[in-house]
Amino acid sequence: MAKDVIIVDNLTKIFDKNLVAVDHISFTVKEGEVFGLLGPNGAGKTTTINMLVTVLKPTEGRASILGYDIVKQASIVRRLIGVVPQDYTADEDLTGYENIILCGDLYGIPREVSKKTALELLEFLGLMKFKDKKVETYSGGMRRRLELACGLVNKPKVLFLDEPTLGLDVQTRAAIWEYIKRLREEYNMTILMTTHYMEEADNLCDRIAIIDHGKIVVMGSPEELKNSIGSDVVEVEIKEKDDILDMIQKIEYVKDVKKVGESSYLIRLENGERTAPEIIEFIRDSGLHVVKLSLRKPSLDEVFLTYTGRAIRDIEESRESLMTRRILLRRARG
Amino acid sequence: MKIESYSQPVFKSILQGLFALMNRELKKWIKEPIILLMAVLQPIMWMVLFGKSMNIGAIFSANTFKNINLPDLKIPGELVNPPIDGLITIPGSILSENIENLLSIIGGQALENVFGISDYFSYLAVGMISMITIFTSTFSGMSIVWDRRLGFLYKVLSTPVPRPAILFSKVLNAAIRSIFQSTIVFGLAILLGVRFSPSFSLINLLGIYLAIFLFSIGLSSLFVALALRSTRHETQIAVVNLTTMPLMFTSNAFFPTSLMPDWLQTIAKINPVSYMTDALRQLTIYSMDVPILLLDFTYLALFATSLSVLGMTLAWRFLVR
C-alpha cells in the first residue's frame, strides 16, 4: 500500500487576528498521487500551499511531509519538496538557464550536478532553444515552464503547484498538463496542486478536495464526487410512438424517467455507461428501434454547485467582493 | 532524472546559497551604471560645491587681512619693561604689516584645534565617504521589499537557504557597494586636492575599507531587518529620508563635535557615523593617533556584530509570517 506522503491535520491560518483564511482543514495525500485543491479565488488554497511549503506559519494545527513536521523540521521539508508558485518569480534580468542554476544554488546543489539537471529540465520542458535568452523576453507559457523547471531542480519527491495554468491559453494549458502527467507517470512524484479550473482538476487529479471559505467542503476522486451528487442522464429517442415509460422504469439502476417529446425520454440513472446499453437491448427486445441516444455525465461544475450552493462561475462574477478578499489575503500573505 | 539527495557539507551549501543571492544583486547593480552614478553624485556635489565654497580656511589667510589700515599705536612708556619716560609710538603701517602674518598663524592654529587640520575641504571630503556609505547602507532594505513584491522572495523562502543568509546576502551586497562607491568618491577627492598627512600610506587603505565594511554591515543589517515584513517601498523611502539627515548632522561628518552644544555632543558620541568618520580621518588627513583609532575600530566592530546578530535573529523569526 502506498504510504501517506502529506498529512494535514486541522491546519488553520488566521491573518491579523480576524481574517480566517484556512479553517481547520485535514487531508492526506498518498505517494504518487495527484491531489487537487479546487475552489474559487480567495478560498484559501494558496494559503494552504504556502503553509505546507513552509513560507507561512500555521496559526493552529499540524502538517507533515514525508514524515517531517512543516514547522519544527521546516528546513528538511524545504530540501525535499519542489514549489511552483502562482506568480512568476524568475529573475527577469537573468537568462532561463541562469535562473535554474540560481535555484540550484539556493538548494545547495553542487554546480556540476545542477548544470546537468538544468539542461535535462530545459530539454524536458522544451525550453532548450531559449536557454540563453533573458527571461523578460519569455512568453507566459515559457515562464510557467521555467517556474516548473526551477521547482524541479532539486529533484523533489513532492511537488507543489499553485494554479499551474493560471492565465494561459488552451494549448499552453494542455502542454503543461502533459508535463504534469509525465512527472507523475515517469517519476512517481507526489503532486499537490491548486486550481480553480474544473477541467484541470478533472483531467489531472486522482483526488480532489473542494475548498470554500477556508474549509474543505467535500473530498474524493472526481468520479466519486460526480457519482455522489447522483445520476447520469440518458436521453433516448425511438422510432415508434409506443409508450415505454413503465418498461424502462423496471430496468436496474434507473431512478426516474420522464417523457420529454412524442417519442423521447429523459432517464436519470446510475452507472450510465453500463446501464445505457441495457436500455438499448431492452428496447430492441421489445421490437422497437432506437433512433438517438445520448449519455451525459455530471460535471465537477455540478458537484461544486451542489456542495457550495453556488456555481464557481457565479463566484467569479461577483468580482468586487472577490477582489477585496483577494487583495486582503495577498496583503496579509505579504 | 531520478530522485536523489546530495552529499556536501552543510556550511558549503549555506555559503553557496548566500553567494548566489549576493551575486544576483551585484550582477543587477553592475548592469545599471546609472544607479551607481546617481548614488555617488550627491556626496560628490556636497564635496565640490559645499566643500569648495565653504572655504573656512581662507577666512584666516593673509588675503583676508589685506588693506586693513590700523591707526598708530601709542603705549605709555611706564608700561613697558624696563619702563621709560614718554610715549612709545608704533606706526600703523608696521602694525598692519605684521598683523596679517600674526592672524593667519593664529587662524591656522584655531582651524587645526577645531578641525584637526587647517584645510576644511579635506575635512569634508573624508566626511563624504561616510555619506555615501550611509546612503548605500540605508537603501539596502529596499531590495528585500522589491523581492517580496516581485515574488522572488517567496521562491527563496521555499528553498532551504537559511533565513539569516537571505538578510546577510543583502547586507554583504551593501558593504561591497559601499566600498566600491567610496573608492570613487575618495578618488575624486584626491583629484580635487585632499591634503594627506605624512602618516598616510597605501596600507591605510585597508583600514579605510575595514571601517567602511564594518559600518555598512551594521547599518544595513538594521535597515534590512526593518524591511523584513514591509510590502511597501514608499515606507522604506520615508524611513531612509527621515534617518539619513540626522545621522549625518549628529556626527562629525560635516563639523567637529567639540563645537556642538552638550546634548548634541552626547548624541554624536553614540552615533557610529562619528567613529567611522574619525577612523577615516585618522587614516588619511590626521597624523594617526593609534589609541583613538583602536577605539574607533572597537566601536565599529561592536556596532557591526551586535546589529548583524540582531538582524539575523529577526530574520529567523519574522521573515516567515
Side-chain angles (χ1 to χ4, degrees):
Chain A
M1 206 185 92
K3 56 178 189 222
D4 291 337
V5 168
I6 305 174
I7 301 170
V8 178
D9 178 23
N10 276 313
L11 207 60
T12 303
K13 181 71 187 181
I14 302 168
F15 287 116
D16 301 333
K17 297 209 161 58
N18 50 23
L19 182 70
V20 184
V22 175
D23 194 357
H24 298 90
I25 65 168
S26 306
F27 61 86
T28 54
V29 182
K30 292 197 186 314
E31 192 175 16
E33 195 174 34
V34 179
F35 188 88
L37 291 173
L38 177 71
N41 292 327
K45 294 169 297 182
T46 299
T47 306
T48 307
I49 276 217
N50 285 354
M51 284 190 280
L52 293 178
V53 304
T54 74
V55 173
L56 270 181
K57 274 186 199 140
T59 316
E60 249 178 72
R62 294 147 48 92
S64 67
I65 292 164
L66 293 157
Y68 299 102
D69 188 275
I70 57 161
V71 177
K72 288 181 203 128
Q73 292 162 305
S75 52
I76 305 175
V77 170
R78 289 180 197 125
R79 215 167 281 283
L80 297 171
I81 61 171
V83 183
V84 181
Q86 182 176 333
D87 303 309
Y88 298 131
T89 60
D91 192 322
E92 302 218 338
D93 297 331
L94 305 179
T95 68
Y97 178 74
E98 285 172 333
N99 262 296
I100 302 177
I101 297 291
L102 174 62
C103 288
D105 286 345
L106 295 178
Y107 280 97
I109 300 166
R111 272 288 171 90
E112 63 271 18
V113 179
S114 66
K115 278 179 182 163
K116 222 175 101 237
T117 316
L119 294 177
E120 271 172 34
L121 286 168
L122 287 164
E123 185 67 52
F124 174 72
L125 294 162
L127 285 172
M128 210 44 148
K129 263 198 282 179
F130 313 100
K131 122 183 201 294
D132 294 322
K133 291 243 161 41
K134 273 192 180 184
V135 174
E136 59 184 8
T137 65
Y138 278 29
S139 70
M142 284 156 68
R143 279 178 196 227
R144 192 57 78 184
R145 279 181 279 163
L146 182 62
E147 294 294 334
L148 206 51
C150 287
L152 291 169
V153 71
N154 61 330
K155 302 188 173 174
K157 293 180 166 70
V158 188
L159 184 66
F160 290 86
L161 297 165
D162 194 1
E163 298 277 3
T165 64
L166 188 72
L168 297 181
D169 61 68
V170 182
Q171 276 173 324
T172 320
R173 184 177 296 172
I176 300 276
W177 288 356
E178 227 24 70
Y179 294 125
I180 297 174
K181 280 181 186 164
R182 275 180 60 194
L183 284 176
R184 197 218 36 194
E185 278 154 25
E186 291 173 35
Y187 311 112
N188 195 33
M189 215 174 263
T190 308
I191 298 174
L192 189 141
M193 58 183 285
T194 73
T195 182
H196 68 282
Y197 297 119
M198 293 290 172
E199 329 82 276
E200 187 160 288
D202 209 353
N203 212 307
L204 290 176
C205 300
D206 299 311
R207 279 193 311 134
I208 297 170
I210 291 184
I211 179 167
D212 195 22
H213 294 307
K215 286 190 171 121
I216 289 183
V217 187
V218 65
M219 196 158 43
S221 73
E223 289 312 308
E224 276 167 20
L225 291 182
K226 284 183 227 166
N227 286 336
S228 73
I229 58 160
S231 26
D232 304 346
V233 175
V234 167
E235 210 174 341
V236 68
E237 194 183 329
I238 53 170
K239 203 172 171 186
E240 292 78 8
K241 293 213 163 88
D242 305 36
D243 193 358
I244 54 165
L245 214 62
D246 294 335
M247 220 162 72
I248 294 174
Q249 197 92 64
K250 281 177 204 144
I251 302 171
E252 210 191 339
Y253 295 125
V254 169
K255 281 177 157 181
D256 164 53
V257 194
K258 258 188 267 173
K259 198 167 176 180
V260 287
E262 209 168 317
S263 48
S264 300
Y265 299 87
L266 196 68
I267 308 159
R268 281 160 51 79
L269 72 177
E270 267 169 37
N271 221 344
E273 292 93 336
R274 290 181 179 279
T275 320
E278 268 179 49
I279 295 174
I280 300 174
E281 265 174 48
F282 207 85
I283 294 171
R284 255 199 216 136
D285 289 350
S286 333
L288 305 170
H289 299 86
V290 177
V291 182
K292 226 159 93 184
L293 184 134
S294 70
L295 168 65
R296 282 205 304 274
K297 308 280 296 171
S299 67
L300 276 179
D301 277 302
E302 280 159 76
V303 175
F304 192 83
L305 177 69
T306 313
Y307 283 104
T308 66
R310 308 169 287 166
I312 205 162
R313 277 182 243 97
D314 293 343
I315 299 160
E316 301 285 308
E317 272 155 24
S318 67
R319 287 223 169 262
E320 221 163 287
S321 65
L322 175 86
M323 283 315 279
T324 359
R325 188 174 160 80
R326 222 183 153 181
I327 289 166
L328 236 92
L329 272 176
R330 226 159 228 272
R331 278 233 186 98
R333 256 191 251 131
Chain B
M1 196 172 81
K2 81 180 209 299
I3 293 165
E4 59 193 67
S5 55
Y6 313 100
S7 53
Q8 106 167 325
V10 177
F11 74 92
K12 205 184 159 200
S13 296
I14 293 173
L15 284 185
Q16 195 182 353
L18 177 68
F19 286 131
L21 287 172
M22 197 181 75
N23 283 338
R24 164 179 173 264
E25 295 206 27
L26 284 177
K27 256 188 213 169
K28 277 173 175 287
W29 175 60
I30 288 163
K31 278 178 189 167
E32 294 287 345
I34 196 91
I35 296 175
L36 172 82
L37 188 73
M38 297 298 280
V40 295
L41 219 52
Q42 192 155 12
I44 286 174
M45 284 200 298
W46 272 97
M47 195 162 73
V48 175
L49 302 178
F50 191 78
K52 285 293 180 186
S53 64
M54 287 289 284
N55 199 348
I56 297 174
I59 297 174
F60 302 106
S61 76
N63 266 345
T64 321
F65 306 111
K66 253 184 192 155
N67 305 324
I68 296 174
N69 291 312
L70 294 172
D72 294 352
L73 186 65
K74 292 184 191 346
I75 302 165
E78 65 262 29
L79 292 178
V80 294
N81 198 11
I84 50 163
D85 290 335
L87 287 169
I88 299 164
T89 307
I90 305 169
S93 56
I94 294 178
L95 271 181
S96 304
E97 216 168 86
N98 284 300
I99 207 97
E100 283 174 21
N101 290 327
L102 212 59
L103 281 180
S104 75
I105 291 168
I106 295 168
Q109 199 53 55
L111 270 173
E112 231 175 294
N113 288 345
V114 174
F115 293 104
I117 182 178
S118 59
D119 167 32
Y120 182 68
F121 173 77
S122 299
Y123 183 86
L124 181 86
V126 177
M128 288 307 99
I129 297 178
S130 301
M131 188 187 220
I132 184 73
T133 309
I134 292 174
F135 277 157
T136 314
S137 308
T138 48
F139 261 100
S140 58
M142 286 290 287
S143 84
I144 207 162
V145 181
W146 274 117
D147 281 356
R148 197 180 270 286
R149 287 223 143 184
L150 297 176
F152 184 79
L153 186 64
Y154 177 96
K155 178 153 75 191
V156 178
L157 285 176
S158 71
T159 67
V161 172
R163 269 86 272 253
I166 300 172
L167 173 125
F168 209 63
S169 72
K170 306 219 173 276
V171 171
L172 274 180
N173 181 45
I176 291 170
R177 282 163 64 164
S178 295
I179 284 175
F180 188 83
Q181 290 169 336
S182 297
T183 310
I184 295 177
V185 173
F186 190 47
L188 212 78
I190 293 171
L191 288 180
L192 289 168
V194 163
R195 279 184 230 151
F196 289 110
S197 86
S199 64
F200 178 77
S201 70
L202 279 179
I203 299 164
N204 290 10
L205 216 55
L206 291 177
I208 293 171
Y209 285 153
L210 179 64
I212 295 170
F213 182 80
L214 289 174
F215 176 80
S216 186
I217 292 278
L219 195 65
S220 54
S221 288
L222 178 67
F223 275 81
V224 178
L226 283 177
L228 281 179
R229 284 215 170 173
S230 174
T231 49
R232 299 167 59 90
H233 50 268
E234 294 92 332
T235 331
Q236 279 302 304
I237 294 175
V239 171
V240 168
N241 280 339
L242 204 71
T243 47
T244 44
M245 205 269 275
L247 262 180
M248 295 291 304
F249 285 100
T250 58
S251 77
N252 53 5
F254 283 92
F255 211 71
T257 49
S258 57
L259 297 186
M260 293 176 181
D262 284 348
W263 62 271
L264 206 53
Q265 276 196 38
T266 316
I267 301 175
K269 270 195 192 114
I270 309 166
N271 189 345
V273 179
S274 301
Y275 292 88
M276 168 174 61
T277 317
D278 188 65
L280 296 178
R281 290 197 180 119
Q282 295 288 350
L283 289 163
T284 50
I285 56 177
Y286 292 171
S287 44
M288 209 179 338
D289 184 334
V290 178
I292 290 183
L293 192 63
L294 281 178
L295 172 76
D296 289 339
F297 273 110
T298 313
Y299 193 88
L300 287 174
L302 277 174
F303 175 68
T305 331
S306 54
L307 281 181
S308 56
V309 167
L310 174 79
M312 289 194 271
T313 319
L314 290 176
W316 266 123
R317 282 217 45 199
F318 290 113
L319 214 47
V320 173
R321 289 166 159 249

